[in-house]
Amino acid sequence: MRTLSREQVIGLAPDPAAAKAGQGQAARPKWAGLGQDEQAAWGECQGSGAVPYRCQVAADDYASRCSCPSRKSPCKHALGLLFLLSAGELPRAARPDWVAQWLEARADRAGQAAGTRPDGLPADPAAQLRRAAERDRKVDTGVAELRLWLADLARTGLAFAQGQPWDWWDRPARRMIDAQARGLAGQIRRMASIAASAGQSADWPERMLDRLGALHLLCEAWTRRDQLPGPTADALRARIGYTRTAEEVRASGDRVTDVWAVLGQRCTEDDNLRSLQQWLYGESSGLVVTYLAFAAGSQPLDPGLPAGQRTGATVVLYPGSRPARILLADRQTASRPLGALPGCDSWAAAMSQVADVLAVDPWADVLPLAVRSVTVLPGPAGTGGQEAGSRWLLRDAAGHAVPLSGPAEARWRLYAVSAGRPVDVAGEWDGFGFSPQAAGPAGAAGQLIA
Amino acid sequence: VSTWTELIDAAIIGAARGRPELADPLLSGITSAGPADSARRLLDHAAVVSRARRAGYAPADASPLQAPAPAAPDVRPEVSDAAQRRLGELLAAGPAELVAEWLRLVAATPCRIPAAHLPALLTLAADDDGLREAVLPLLGPVSDWLASLNPQWAWAGSAARAADPPAASWATGGIGARRTLLLRLRRRDPAAARTLIASTWSSDSHRDRTAFISALATGLSEADEPLLSQALADPRGEVRLAAARLLSRLPGSAFARRARERAAAAVAVQRTVTGRRLAVKLPAEATPEMLADGILPDPPRGTGRQAWLLRQLVAAVPAAWWPEQTGLAPARLLELAAASDWNAALAGGWRDAAARDGDVPWISALLDSLAGAADPDAGGAGRELLAALPRAAAEAWLMAHPGRPLFSALDLVPGPWTTGFSAAVRGLLATMTDADAGAWPEGRRVLRIAGFRLEPPDPPVRDNVPAPGKLLDSWSGMLTTLSVRAALRSEISEETP
């Protein structure tokens, strides 16, 4: 099966303790009957009991099953198996019966979930249309309510809204989820978190007004959705919360085969939901796309492409929001280290890319940008750039600069990598500051720094 | 004032209280809302102007700003990619012991610390003495340059590491920084360190004075006697005690001469018809001269006044003085003491002196006598003695005493262990059973320590014997640590492409 890097295996672990325990299991003497083929890896691990644990991992999504009593998934045995795989220590072997049975059961379940009727015919097209119209009506109601709420907010002012408790924001957000407009709910919650962190950022009114404008524009656009150009209408539906299934995208999306450099990665954990976002820069296509994966509870999180490396892959583009979200259709097993980072030669050129994206998807918020040969201008010594008026800047060769934002650790790492000389950087632009994620000395190989 | 800032001001107070009439003529046609619908007008403007601001963002002109001068180039090669990634993982998730090991291994190569990891490393080491010692030999131009920009990292800068640390930091630094500075200076220039202590002596707290006097143990010489004698007259008992401990290690000092005279007067070897015996002769209580030399008059609870005095008089001379004076080996002296009425005081005094001096013949004899006696206090006293032994001697004694004593004292032997000692520990771990695990409450600690200190980091091999079930977590934790340490070694020795 497709191999993984050690970092990716660590990324699959439900928590750091499990990753460590998994490394402890990655010793061949602990195992019997180790093997792998295209679809799975397996082995029997001697635990503390008399009967060894039978452990198996599927190749397509790294789902695992183990006979050990652990409730973590993947358990340490499955992780140990993956560590062995990443170290190239799993021999090719004939699949034992117990693995074959598990794979068959998985395939059956996947078939049922795909929505084909038992007789193998696709679902009724008229019923599908009916359901779509019903959903649009629900969103209509939600948008109408949201417009009233936004008008109230505009009347009473941002200062009043900032002082409101979480529930004041969360109630309309929950209403939008009921109205099947999850994207709108997310926008409201982002405003709530701007309000909550107002103490730490002096520019909160700007950021909140920016969100308010975007949200109002979403509502306006929804009421006039029939007049919008196709790509913008796709972006609108994606931003409101209409999703497409992977099957739909795989069937109709554009495909791009390229070598992709992963120049940024962000993992979040919220209640029971883990998510992963990666920025992929295409080497010959020049495309920049984003990979998103979610996993609830004990589901495995597909680790995407190896972060901070270059990997050949065919991706399928989702229609809608920009930069395009992708599916990984086919990825190569071998990865190479990053070379020199791609990028524009000036902030002006980078900002014109931003304008191009906004022309199609005016709701675009955080965008990936890469600029070459910029100089870090640190704030006053020791401030880390947090206090007002002591901002760190990133200046291009033409002398223009944007504020550096993001965590202080990434800023200092960028600064250390630069050693005071120009650097090539890739990172996220949110309309207010640039948060660096990968960097390297100008013209030399880059690395992830956040 | 831009249209955007005008709009922010209007939005903060709300449309109910202000009527945003934007001056920009370009925006006149963008809202269809009537003049009465001020909220709608505000929202329409916010939507258009916020999008326009993003699409037309103009980076500021920063050409007049001065960038700091770049760091001097670092000509040392990079470590392998795998070693760089490993350091990143260890810095993010620990344990700090392995970060220190990574640094020690790299210090044996010509390579440098990857620049991207310096900030996290300098921050971590700022609060960790052991890590700081491991980082110092690897610092170079880039860390120097970073240190000049972040006061938290000042310790890593060339100014702080210079041969002549700035004396200003002595008068103003915290106790930890002052002690570190003192120890570093003392290793290189004992006299300068002494002058430094004297310069603030009268204004330092008694806790600081005690710490500084104790620091004189590094590079102790006859030249320290005047300062130590001054400390011996200190109003605080702790300071006097610290000074007395050091003075007793200076055989040429007046203090040492007085101590020898008192010891000789108190304990003598007598020949009798049945052999030898120890004769003890003590004053009724401590004399003023004894008190002036740091003898404490009041015994701890449970000890007699005279026994307490005897113990201190015995301990006030170097442990090695007793065999020289009496012509008897430590083991023989302990036998004679055991036959006397003063066994506890005599053995206690020798124990104090031997631990202080790190006297190998004495400590070996004392440890053997403790191992023989079923003394409930033997564990504590034995640990103190073992801790005072030089590494090789401690390892040798423990290897000769496998089982319980070895396991309970493993933490006293600093890592990395010698290969011989590691092999002995590995052999014991390989046969550790559930029964052992139950009998030794320190089992978990032992396994953790063994993971970090076995050298080379090879796991104990248990032939088809399952690991002790009660300690399974600790056991697999040890295996993990060992495998990570083995990986560290191969990653660091990998060639840079």
Side-chain angles (χ1 to χ4, degrees), chain B residues 91-301:
Chain B
L91 285 171
E97 287 97 328
L98 293 188
V99 176
E101 179 157 18
W102 190 98
L103 294 168
R104 274 196 299 275
L105 291 166
V106 170
T109 72
C111 296
R112 63 173 186 250
I113 301 171
H117 294 315
L118 278 172
L121 191 55
L122 295 181
T123 300
L124 200 62
D127 305 322
D128 183 329
D129 292 344
L131 207 51
R132 211 160 48 232
E133 288 301 312
V135 175
L136 282 171
L138 283 162
L139 294 179
V142 177
S143 47
D144 231 39
W145 173 81
L146 283 171
S148 67
L149 276 134
N150 189 333
Q152 202 194 349
W153 304 334
W155 59 270
S158 54
R161 288 183 291 127
D164 276 312
S169 63
W170 171 256
T172 57
I175 175 68
R178 295 178 79 192
R179 219 181 116 76
T180 308
L181 190 151
L182 188 62
L183 286 172
R184 200 178 296 160
L185 188 58
R186 183 75 183 168
R187 259 177 236 136
R188 203 169 35 77
D189 185 354
R194 205 163 48 235
T195 314
L196 216 51
I197 299 177
S199 71
T200 54
W201 183 258
S202 52
S203 57
D204 284 331
S205 74
H206 68 91
R207 198 171 301 129
D208 289 359
R209 290 200 302 270
T210 311
F212 299 153
I213 287 295
S214 304
L216 291 178
T218 306
L220 185 69
S221 77
E222 303 287 343
D224 296 320
E225 191 187 345
L227 180 57
L228 289 171
S229 300
Q230 186 189 342
L232 204 53
D234 198 274
R236 301 293 297 224
E238 305 95 296
V239 185
R240 292 203 299 274
L241 202 61
R245 281 175 73 93
L246 292 184
L247 279 166
S248 64
R249 284 170 53 188
L250 293 172
S253 67
F255 173 93
R257 202 186 58 245
R258 293 194 296 274
R260 284 196 298 270
E261 285 165 9
R262 285 186 210 118
V267 183
V269 180
Q270 289 180 343
R271 288 168 182 280
T272 66
V273 279
T274 52
R276 292 167 207 255
R277 69 179 202 89
L278 290 181
V280 172
K281 203 171 112 195
L282 291 167
E285 58 181 26
T287 64
E289 293 76 27
M290 292 178 182
L291 298 180
D293 276 353
I295 299 285
L296 302 175
D298 299 320
R301 186 183 291 272

Side-chain angles (χ1 to χ4, degrees), chain A residues 7 154 158 216 365 395 399 401 431, chain B residues 11 15 44 53-54 60 62 65 85 116:
Chain A
E7 289 74 31
L158 301 184
H216 176 64
D365 182 10
R395 180 172 66 189
Chain B
D44 282 349
R53 191 196 73 89
R54 278 176 175 262
L65 293 177
R85 274 199 302 274

